Amino acid sequence: MTDQPTRIKNDEFVDYTAPFKHMPLPELQSSSLLTDGVIRLTIMSPDELSPAYEVHPVWKHATVPSYAFSIVNAVNEAEVFGRLHLRIGHSQFTFIGGHIGYGVDELYRGHRYATRAAKLAVEFARKVHGLETLFVTCGPENVASSKTIGGIEGGVYLGVFDIEKDTPMYAAGDRQVCVFRFGSTNMPYAEERERERLSHDTTPPYKTSFLSE
C-alpha cells in the first residue's frame, strides 16, 4: 500500500536554481558532496554531451535546469566509468522521466558505480539546491536499473505509470515506467497531478527491498 502525499501547490514557483547563479564552477567541482572516495562526479563540458539530450520540441515547456556529470574514478579522474544527468526542479516531465538518469560503460558494470553516483546526486540536489523530493524511474522490465535504485536509501515505490504519446520517452519505444520517490513525503503539485492522471498499477513488477513502507 502506497502513502498519500500532501500537495504543495506553490512548488512550481520555488527557485531551485540559485546555486547555479552564485556558486563558481571551480568551487562546485571541488565540492566534497560530489565524491564518496571511490567515485567522483565531474561536470561534463558541452563538447562531451550527446545529441540525444537535446530538448524535445514538444516538451520544451516541461524542461528544468540540469547537470551532466561524468562518473569517474575518485583517485584517477581520467578513468571514466559512465555518465549521470541530474534535473533540478519539478515539471510534468520529471515525474515520469525522473530527476536522475545514469549509465555505466559495460567494462565497469557490476561494481555498483551507478548506485554510488545516484546517492551522491540525491544528496547534492538536497544540500546544494534544497530539492527535498526527487523521482527516479525505470522500465518495468529493467531489473538492472531497479537494483541500482534499490541501493539508494530512503526510496518509496509509487507504482507503474503510463507514458504519454507526445513524449520523447514514448518516441523511443517506452510505454510505462516504475516511479520511485526519494525524500519528503510532500509531493510537488505538478507530480501529484501526473500521478493521478497516468496511474496504471501499484503492484511492484519485481522484488526490491524497499518497495513498500
Side-chain angles (χ1 to χ4, degrees), residues 53 69 71 81-85 101-106 109 113-114:
Y53 290 100
F69 294 106
I71 306 170
F81 299 144
R83 306 285 185 272
L84 181 141
H85 281 245
Y102 44 78
V104 173
D105 296 340
E106 187 173 359
R109 292 174 187 170
Y113 293 141

Side-chain angles (χ1 to χ4, degrees), residues 93 96 162-176:
F93 180 73
I96 60 167
D162 294 330
I163 298 172
E164 292 189 292
K165 293 182 178 180
D166 64 345
T167 65
M169 293 173 67
Y170 191 97
D174 298 319
R175 296 297 179 263
Q176 294 178 338

Side-chain angles (χ1 to χ4, degrees), residues 10-11 20 39 61 91 104 120 128 163 171 175 177 198 207 211:
N10 65 343
D11 189 84
F20 278 105
I39 66 163
H61 63 283
S91 75
V104 173
L120 291 173
V128 174
I163 298 172
R175 296 297 179 263
V177 291
L198 301 174
K207 293 183 179 180
L211 288 180

